[in-house]
Amino acid sequence: LVDSPLSVLGFALALPLIRRSPPLSKSGWRSLLATWAVFSNVKYGLWTVVFWLLWWRGSGMFTLESITMTLTHGAMVIMGASLLLFYRPKVWQVLTVTAWFALNDYLDYWGGIAPTVPAGVSLETLKIEQVIVTTLLMLGLLALSRWPKQQRS
């Protein structure tokens, strides 16, 4: 259950590091951390939003907790994506981070260590969503790695 706090911590560490000199092209570990922060915030933010949508569609009720969790995890998606305003990931960083999260997906959903979800929320749907999100994040970040960042004048 430490996915979300760890993702937000990754964002909090990555943002000032990618804004510092020397340029990120000289420091691969800073942009690797930023790539991990983008991936984790978007991935786990979306997982939680989808979870609550499934909950509400089923037998779940709208509560302060469910609404707050949906809004804050939606904000995680925006936070993660916002890091891409400041850098472009390298192909090796995207592939490394994707491998990490693909292993996580495998262990969660095929290795049997996925979090338990209440009745009315389909773990199978969450599994499909995570595989799709991991794939789309990888493809999007690979495409972005080929698109140079605009330099401010």
Side-chain angles (χ1 to χ4, degrees), residues 3 9 21 28 39 60 76 87 90 92 102 105-106 116 134 141 147 149 153:
D3 292 338
L9 176 62
S21 295
F39 217 102
M76 282 175 59
Y87 87 106
K90 293 181 174 36
W92 73 266
D105 289 345
Y106 174 78
T116 55
T134 297
L141 290 174
W147 186 15
K149 185 179 147 315
S153 48

mmCIF file of all heavy atoms in Angstrom, residues 3 9 21 28 39 60 76 87 90 92 102 105-106 116 134 141 147 149 153:
data_model
loop_
_atom_site.group_PDB
_atom_site.id
_atom_site.type_symbol
_atom_site.label_atom_id
_atom_site.label_comp_id
_atom_site.label_asym_id
_atom_site.label_seq_id
_atom_site.Cartn_x
_atom_site.Cartn_y
_atom_site.Cartn_z
ATOM 1 N N ASP A 3 2.421 2.400 -2.666
ATOM 2 C CA ASP A 3 2.617 2.875 -4.030
ATOM 3 C C ASP A 3 2.412 4.389 -4.165
ATOM 4 O O ASP A 3 3.260 5.083 -4.689
ATOM 5 C CB ASP A 3 1.663 2.161 -4.994
ATOM 6 C CG ASP A 3 1.990 0.697 -5.144
ATOM 7 O OD1 ASP A 3 3.142 0.319 -4.865
ATOM 8 O OD2 ASP A 3 1.098 -0.065 -5.526
ATOM 9 N N LEU A 9 6.504 10.992 -3.363
ATOM 10 C CA LEU A 9 7.861 11.300 -2.908
ATOM 11 C C LEU A 9 8.813 11.349 -4.104
ATOM 12 O O LEU A 9 9.667 12.241 -4.179
ATOM 13 C CB LEU A 9 8.339 10.261 -1.894
ATOM 14 C CG LEU A 9 9.784 10.421 -1.409
ATOM 15 C CD1 LEU A 9 9.978 11.755 -0.696
ATOM 16 C CD2 LEU A 9 10.172 9.253 -0.518
ATOM 17 N N SER A 21 21.002 22.828 -12.473
ATOM 18 C CA SER A 21 22.111 22.694 -13.408
ATOM 19 C C SER A 21 23.067 21.682 -12.829
ATOM 20 O O SER A 21 23.113 21.505 -11.618
ATOM 21 C CB SER A 21 22.818 24.032 -13.578
ATOM 22 O OG SER A 21 21.941 24.942 -14.184
ATOM 23 N N GLY A 28 22.263 11.087 -15.977
ATOM 24 C CA GLY A 28 21.238 10.118 -16.313
ATOM 25 C C GLY A 28 20.382 9.686 -15.144
ATOM 26 O O GLY A 28 19.208 9.382 -15.310
ATOM 27 N N PHE A 39 6.037 7.750 -14.560
ATOM 28 C CA PHE A 39 5.389 6.453 -14.735
ATOM 29 C C PHE A 39 4.560 6.081 -13.513
ATOM 30 O O PHE A 39 3.397 5.696 -13.622
ATOM 31 C CB PHE A 39 6.469 5.391 -14.990
ATOM 32 C CG PHE A 39 6.083 4.337 -15.979
ATOM 33 C CD1 PHE A 39 6.561 4.392 -17.275
ATOM 34 C CD2 PHE A 39 5.287 3.271 -15.611
ATOM 35 C CE1 PHE A 39 6.235 3.396 -18.193
ATOM 36 C CE2 PHE A 39 4.955 2.282 -16.518
ATOM 37 C CZ PHE A 39 5.427 2.343 -17.818
ATOM 38 N N GLY A 60 -20.815 0.257 -4.338
ATOM 39 C CA GLY A 60 -20.206 1.259 -3.469
ATOM 40 C C GLY A 60 -20.945 2.581 -3.449
ATOM 41 O O GLY A 60 -21.652 2.939 -4.389
ATOM 42 N N MET A 76 -2.410 13.193 -9.038
ATOM 43 C CA MET A 76 -1.129 12.489 -9.244
ATOM 44 C C MET A 76 -0.834 12.314 -10.735
ATOM 45 O O MET A 76 0.319 12.415 -11.160
ATOM 46 C CB MET A 76 -1.144 11.113 -8.572
ATOM 47 C CG MET A 76 -0.944 11.142 -7.083
ATOM 48 S SD MET A 76 -1.115 9.499 -6.340
ATOM 49 C CE MET A 76 0.151 8.565 -7.195
ATOM 50 N N TYR A 87 11.835 17.952 -19.077
ATOM 51 C CA TYR A 87 12.867 17.056 -19.594
ATOM 52 C C TYR A 87 12.245 16.088 -20.580
ATOM 53 O O TYR A 87 11.019 15.984 -20.683
ATOM 54 C CB TYR A 87 13.548 16.289 -18.449
ATOM 55 C CG TYR A 87 12.830 15.011 -18.074
ATOM 56 C CD1 TYR A 87 13.369 13.778 -18.432
ATOM 57 C CD2 TYR A 87 11.610 15.035 -17.417
ATOM 58 C CE1 TYR A 87 12.697 12.606 -18.127
ATOM 59 C CE2 TYR A 87 10.951 13.872 -17.101
ATOM 60 C CZ TYR A 87 11.489 12.662 -17.462
ATOM 61 O OH TYR A 87 10.840 11.509 -17.177
ATOM 62 N N LYS A 90 15.231 9.395 -21.928
ATOM 63 C CA LYS A 90 16.005 8.660 -22.927
ATOM 64 C C LYS A 90 15.383 7.272 -23.088
ATOM 65 O O LYS A 90 14.710 6.772 -22.184
ATOM 66 C CB LYS A 90 17.456 8.556 -22.483
ATOM 67 C CG LYS A 90 18.171 9.898 -22.449
ATOM 68 C CD LYS A 90 19.609 9.727 -22.022
ATOM 69 C CE LYS A 90 20.414 10.984 -22.105
ATOM 70 N NZ LYS A 90 19.776 12.219 -21.780
ATOM 71 N N TRP A 92 16.686 4.307 -23.035
ATOM 72 C CA TRP A 92 17.096 3.310 -22.035
ATOM 73 C C TRP A 92 16.363 3.517 -20.717
ATOM 74 O O TRP A 92 16.064 2.556 -20.008
ATOM 75 C CB TRP A 92 18.616 3.288 -21.846
ATOM 76 C CG TRP A 92 19.205 4.452 -21.099
ATOM 77 C CD1 TRP A 92 19.713 5.595 -21.629
ATOM 78 C CD2 TRP A 92 19.345 4.579 -19.676
ATOM 79 N NE1 TRP A 92 20.164 6.431 -20.629
ATOM 80 C CE2 TRP A 92 19.953 5.829 -19.423
ATOM 81 C CE3 TRP A 92 19.025 3.753 -18.597
ATOM 82 C CZ2 TRP A 92 20.247 6.277 -18.134
ATOM 83 C CZ3 TRP A 92 19.308 4.211 -17.313
ATOM 84 C CH2 TRP A 92 19.912 5.459 -17.094
ATOM 85 N N ALA A 102 6.467 -3.522 -15.450
ATOM 86 C CA ALA A 102 5.938 -4.760 -16.033
ATOM 87 C C ALA A 102 6.159 -5.922 -15.062
ATOM 88 O O ALA A 102 5.273 -6.778 -14.885
ATOM 89 C CB ALA A 102 6.598 -5.042 -17.379
ATOM 90 N N ASP A 105 3.552 -5.542 -12.412
ATOM 91 C CA ASP A 105 2.253 -6.023 -12.893
ATOM 92 C C ASP A 105 2.198 -7.548 -12.873
ATOM 93 O O ASP A 105 1.211 -8.142 -12.448
ATOM 94 C CB ASP A 105 1.974 -5.530 -14.317
ATOM 95 C CG ASP A 105 1.694 -4.042 -14.383
ATOM 96 O OD1 ASP A 105 1.432 -3.427 -13.332
ATOM 97 O OD2 ASP A 105 1.740 -3.501 -15.504
ATOM 98 N N TYR A 106 3.271 -8.158 -13.348
ATOM 99 C CA TYR A 106 3.315 -9.619 -13.380
ATOM 100 C C TYR A 106 3.176 -10.205 -11.967
ATOM 101 O O TYR A 106 2.373 -11.104 -11.724
ATOM 102 C CB TYR A 106 4.609 -10.108 -14.034
ATOM 103 C CG TYR A 106 4.760 -11.604 -13.965
ATOM 104 C CD1 TYR A 106 4.060 -12.420 -14.838
ATOM 105 C CD2 TYR A 106 5.559 -12.191 -12.993
ATOM 106 C CE1 TYR A 106 4.157 -13.803 -14.751
ATOM 107 C CE2 TYR A 106 5.671 -13.571 -12.897
ATOM 108 C CZ TYR A 106 4.972 -14.372 -13.775
ATOM 109 O OH TYR A 106 5.064 -15.732 -13.684
ATOM 110 N N THR A 116 -6.048 -6.911 -2.289
ATOM 111 C CA THR A 116 -7.421 -7.412 -2.311
ATOM 112 C C THR A 116 -8.359 -6.245 -2.565
ATOM 113 O O THR A 116 -8.105 -5.122 -2.118
ATOM 114 C CB THR A 116 -7.786 -8.095 -0.979
ATOM 115 O OG1 THR A 116 -7.554 -7.175 0.080
ATOM 116 C CG2 THR A 116 -6.963 -9.353 -0.761
ATOM 117 N N THR A 134 0.476 0.480 -18.627
ATOM 118 C CA THR A 134 1.920 0.258 -18.734
ATOM 119 C C THR A 134 2.359 0.323 -20.194
ATOM 120 O O THR A 134 3.355 0.968 -20.527
ATOM 121 C CB THR A 134 2.310 -1.099 -18.107
ATOM 122 O OG1 THR A 134 1.987 -1.059 -16.715
ATOM 123 C CG2 THR A 134 3.793 -1.383 -18.264
ATOM 124 N N LEU A 141 6.071 7.507 -23.772
ATOM 125 C CA LEU A 141 7.375 8.020 -23.350
ATOM 126 C C LEU A 141 8.454 7.731 -24.389
ATOM 127 O O LEU A 141 9.361 8.555 -24.589
ATOM 128 C CB LEU A 141 7.766 7.454 -21.986
ATOM 129 C CG LEU A 141 6.944 7.979 -20.809
ATOM 130 C CD1 LEU A 141 7.302 7.246 -19.531
ATOM 131 C CD2 LEU A 141 7.100 9.476 -20.640
ATOM 132 N N TRP A 147 11.194 13.324 -29.335
ATOM 133 C CA TRP A 147 10.694 14.667 -29.587
ATOM 134 C C TRP A 147 11.467 15.635 -28.696
ATOM 135 O O TRP A 147 11.296 15.638 -27.478
ATOM 136 C CB TRP A 147 9.212 14.696 -29.271
ATOM 137 C CG TRP A 147 8.485 15.944 -29.600
ATOM 138 C CD1 TRP A 147 8.890 16.964 -30.399
ATOM 139 C CD2 TRP A 147 7.182 16.291 -29.139
ATOM 140 N NE1 TRP A 147 7.929 17.921 -30.458
ATOM 141 C CE2 TRP A 147 6.864 17.532 -29.694
ATOM 142 C CE3 TRP A 147 6.258 15.681 -28.300
ATOM 143 C CZ2 TRP A 147 5.667 18.179 -29.459
ATOM 144 C CZ3 TRP A 147 5.064 16.315 -28.066
ATOM 145 C CH2 TRP A 147 4.773 17.544 -28.637
ATOM 146 N N LYS A 149 12.777 18.608 -26.449
ATOM 147 C CA LYS A 149 12.141 19.595 -25.593
ATOM 148 C C LYS A 149 12.418 20.979 -26.143
ATOM 149 O O LYS A 149 13.536 21.284 -26.532
ATOM 150 C CB LYS A 149 12.661 19.473 -24.160
ATOM 151 C CG LYS A 149 11.987 20.379 -23.165
ATOM 152 C CD LYS A 149 12.575 20.144 -21.791
ATOM 153 C CE LYS A 149 12.604 21.370 -20.948
ATOM 154 N NZ LYS A 149 13.043 22.577 -21.539
ATOM 155 N N SER A 153 13.526 30.751 -24.592
ATOM 156 C CA SER A 153 14.449 31.806 -25.027
ATOM 157 C C SER A 153 14.510 32.946 -24.056
ATOM 158 O O SER A 153 13.821 33.051 -23.129
ATOM 159 C CB SER A 153 14.055 32.320 -26.396
ATOM 160 O OG SER A 153 12.677 32.607 -26.457
#
